[in-house]
Structure formats: structure tokens, C-alpha cells
Amino acid sequence: MCAQDKGNRFAKQLAEAGVQIGWPTRLVSFGPDIYQAVFAIGFACRVAMAFGGIRPGDFRRNLIYNKDRTYAFVLALGDVTDEWYANAAGAINWGFPTIADTPIPEILPTGICTYEHVVANIPHDRIVQKAVEVRGLKVQVARVPVPVSYGPAFEGERVRGEDIYVEMGGGRTVAVEWTTSKSMEEVEDGRVEVIGKDVTDIPEGSRLHFAMVAEVAGRNFQEDFEPILERQNHHLINQAQGIMHMGQRDIAWIRVSKQNVEKGFRLEHIGRIIHAKYHQDFGAIFDKVQIKIYTDEEQVKNILEQARASYRYRDARIEGMTDEAVDTFYSCVLCQSFAPAHVCLVSPERTGLCGAYNWLDCRAAYEINPDGPNQPVKKGECLSELHGQFKGCNEYVRKASRQKTQSVSLYSLLVDPMTTCGCCECIAAVMPMCNGIMTVDRDFTDMTPCGMKFTTLAGAVGGGAQTPGFLGHSKYNITQRKFLKAEGGLSRIVWMPRRLKEEIKERLEQRGEELGIPNLSDMIADETVAATEEEVLSYITEKKHPCLSMAPLM
Ligand code: SF4
């Protein structure tokens, strides 16, 4: 601190306002004149010499050291005289930018400083954020600020029946999670808003609609990183004691326990977890994040529409890529905390079964975190083109599943199918009588024609084991060209819930055209026309479904 305003020096102004100054608060006064800023600059030089081994007089290396290692900046508060401006310009030679609250001439292009050099006219309520942003400081959140224990030990913990205070999603209400990028100006780091009812506004045992939007901004943040951050929500939220989180995107499912609400846990804390953990684990790729949580039905549905448009856009980026065109697939073992032997292999034509990760996402995730859960897997020799079996993939899966899975087919549900975990969007199952395959998504809670509800199917096959005859997959994967290739592809599908059929209708019709079955969508039965396998058989017989003349499945 130095200088004065109309004879009233900075330190005195603070003392009059009752602000403690001195070394304990790091508010150190150098004197009443602006030229005393030189003492702060001198301190920076000493840091560079003592810790960076910079020799006295080596101004160039002194600048580079301070620019890259000493995260200092100048806050110019009050009228800036020519002398003040000259001092600020001097600080630029150490890589220290100036952020002012008055309309002084700006120097915005980057060059000597990391980002802008002089930024003017910033109101006091935004000046700290702005300084953090202009200097390129990284926010560190040391502790996750929630009133319950937090850590990996609580991942996989269930919140059941009588312990539930509030439940969101899980097919009973809408629950959607969306991480999206915004401009730096639109995001206030650490801001968490709950718009609508919170747990204190509802009796225990209630259900709420839920939409969480994490708005991320960063100078180096890329749109491609959005799904990677978003997919972390599952395990990050799960690490809070007394919270159960399943699924992702628009099939999220959250339960908050009664004990948590007693301890003071509120919906805001879900946002606090996201803010803290995004910074702790991914701070290198973004600068700011704010979280908005909606519980009002109208607003949740509005977010759902926006999020779904974004999911469609992300999914479509992979369209046109083929498995043959790449020699490397990616693994994903993010779900091993729930299903310890589960390994997803993600190829351009087989998205992760949660629907949240495609090949491009895994590639970006690997670039961000080369030691993380997404690793490149060299395909190696092709062992079966029909089943999608590759030597390199088998070797990887053997190791990553700790010998639980020996070989895996990317395109088959009967021969060495990929393992399934509880996050899958859909589960496909053989219908022997129909010589076909049905699939059901998580949102369909009624009985399916295979005699099991989605939850029973997920409980039976979702633990990370191979279960021939059953396969977890994403919604998008249904219309990818390698889907169930070994069993005859999309032409084997005889039943799916109506809502799912509607959701993927456009792509389903496109694929039907490609396969020379333009009315395929109409040939696939749903719950409105068939509830049992017999009824499915009679429906598809009437519609002359192609699977009836295909080779026997079993
Ligand atoms: Fe990764 Fe597969 Fe889990 Fe999705 S379902 S997060 S792709 S392991």
C-alpha cells in the first residue's frame, strides 16, 4: 500500500475504517507517496534473485521470473495521476498488470504481462475477481465446504427407504445436470444459487425436480471439456456422506438423507462440492465456475430442453467417424468405484454406456489428465471384425479388470459382451421367442416384455460382470452403425419404450432408410402395443419385422 487521496493516505483510510493493517493481514504500508511502490517492486526483484537465481541487472530474466512465478498485480484505487500511471507502467516490466476503479486509458493486448496490461473502470464489487482473472491466478479450494464428511470412502454409499429426506430424478421427477461454458464476464467464481424450493421448504420423504447448471469460464477452456467436467459430477457428489448420486445428463438421480438435513446440508452444498472439486481436480483447464440449481418444475424443464440440445450437439460431433479410421480406442474406468471390474471401451462407433463420454471426450480427458481414468488403447490385431474383438483391447481389459474379463466384443451382446455398470442409459436383452432384442432406458419404470423392470435388469447385470444376452449401452449408440453388429444390428430391435423411440426418432428413421427398412421405427413395438413377449411377437409378425427372417439368435 502506498500513496494518498487528497492528503489522506491509504493506511490511514483503512485504520479509520477499523481495518487491521500490518504484516498479520498482509496490508503493509510503504508510505504516503506513489513512488514508494518501488519497495514492492524491489521485493519482487529480491524474490527473483533469492529463489530464481536471477543475477542482479538481468532485467529480462527478472521479468520472465516474476511474470511466471510471482502473481502480483497493481490495484489502482482512486484518481490516477500521471505519476501513478508512470509507476503502473513501470510495474508492467515485471509482468504485473494494473486494475483500476477509474476510467484511465487501458492497455488491453497481451504481450509483456500474461494477459491484459491495464484494465480500467472496474467497480469495487468485481475488482477482486477481475484482478484474479487478469493476473491468471488459479483459485485453490483447500476444503470442500459441506456440513458432512467428505471423501472417497463414501462413494457407493446407498441412501435407502426410510433414510431419504428428498429424492430427485431416478425416473420419478426430472433431474438434469449440465455443464456449459460462458464468457469470463458472465461467471462469478464460487457463486451458488438455489432457485426454487430447498430441503427446508419441504417435508421429509418428498421429491423435487432438479436441474443443476455449472457455468464454467476460462481463458483456455474449450467447449470439448464440458462433458468431461460434467461426467465428474457423479463421483464428486457421491463422495459426500449421506448423499446418493446415480446417472448423469438427464438421467441423474440424487437422494439426500435425513441425517444430512439435520446436520445442515442444503441443496446449495451440492453446488459448493462442484465448485470446490472442479477447482481442486481440474483447475488447470478453467478459471471460474458458478452453479445454478433449479427445483421449480417449469424452470427445470426449460433447462432440460437446453441441456438436451447441447447433448445432441456433443453426440453429433462423433457422427461420420468410424472405428476403422482410428488405431486407438480409449478406456474408461471412472465407474470402477461402483463396479470394480467394469471397463468401458469407447470407440468412435461405440460411445460409453452412460452416454456421457464419446471417443472425442475420452481423448480430451486423456489430454487433460494423462494418468486419469481414460487411457488410449491400441486396437492391435483384429480378431473378429464381426464381433469387434481386438487383441490390444483384450489385453487392456484383462489388466484393467484384474483378470475378471478375458476378452471383450465391442459389437456383440452374445459373445463376450462388454461389461455393464449401473450408469448405463439403456439395457438390451434377448427376446428368444421373437428372435430379436429389446432395449429399455432408465426412465421407463414399468415392466418390460423380458419380464424384468429396468431396475431389476440393472441390479442383475450392472455390477461390472459380463452377462451374455444382456448389454448396457447409451441411447445414442442404438443408432450407431456398429450397434449389435454381430447379432444383425438395429434390425434385431423389436421393442423399446415409446418415449425413447420418440426421443431418437429422427436418427432411427435415418438408420432405417440406410438399412433399406424405412418404416423400421413403426415395426418396433412399444408398451402401448405390447407388454409381453407374446404380444411383441404378434405385433412384429403383423408388421413383418425383418428379424423374423434373420438367422436364429440362439
Ligand atoms: Fe466411463 Fe463407462 Fe462409467 Fe461412462 S459408464 S463414466 S464411459 S466407465
Side-chain angles (χ1 to χ4, degrees), residues 123-235:
H124 290 163
D125 61 346
R126 289 207 298 115
I127 205 160
V128 174
Q129 282 265 342
K130 194 70 186 171
V132 165
E133 179 195 322
V134 171
R135 187 62 186 94
L137 274 162
K138 287 291 173 192
V139 175
Q140 301 278 344
V141 185
R143 209 187 121 259
V144 180
V146 289
V148 293
S149 301
Y150 185 89
F154 302 107
E155 244 185 291
E157 174 199 20
R158 299 275 161 171
V159 177
R160 295 184 201 277
E162 65 285 0
D163 291 334
I164 304 171
Y165 191 95
V166 62
E167 181 172 44
M168 299 168 283
R172 295 173 187 95
T173 59
V174 180
V176 54
E177 290 167 7
W178 182 34
T179 297
T180 184
S181 37
K182 293 271 173 199
S183 70
M184 292 289 266
E185 285 65 41
E186 290 172 288
V187 178
E188 183 187 323
D189 187 50
R191 182 175 184 159
V192 178
E193 284 177 275
V194 176
I195 302 141
K197 286 186 177 153
D198 203 330
V199 289
T200 43
D201 306 316
I202 49 169
E204 59 182 49
S206 301
R207 289 192 176 126
L208 276 179
H209 294 285
F210 177 86
M212 180 170 73
V213 187
E215 295 176 336
V216 184
R219 302 235 185 202
N220 301 316
F221 192 72
Q222 298 169 24
E223 199 182 54
D224 288 356
F225 298 157
E226 291 172 3
I228 297 153
L229 289 182
E230 187 182 283
R231 189 63 187 99
Q232 310 304 317
N233 295 357
H234 172 48
H235 80 107

Side-chain angles (χ1 to χ4, degrees), residues 231 332 334-335 342 344 352-354 357 421 423:
R231 189 63 187 99
C332 188
L334 201 63
C335 292
H342 172 64
C344 268
L353 50 85
C354 57
Y357 268 13
C421 72
C423 295

Side-chain angles (χ1 to χ4, degrees), residues 316-375:
R317 287 176 308 150
I318 200 79
E319 191 65 55
M321 280 190 73
T322 63
D323 286 2
E324 290 76 17
V326 298
D327 63 0
T328 303
F329 295 159
Y330 285 89
S331 65
C332 188
V333 293
L334 201 63
C335 292
Q336 284 197 345
S337 49
F338 284 86
H342 172 64
V343 183
C344 268
L345 280 177
V346 181
S347 74
E349 293 183 90
R350 197 188 195 289
T351 51
L353 50 85
C354 57
Y357 268 13
N358 64 31
W359 186 86
L360 291 168
D361 301 328
C362 291
R363 188 178 64 173
Y366 172 68
E367 278 165 18
I368 295 169
N369 181 8
D371 301 318
N374 302 101
Q375 293 295 314

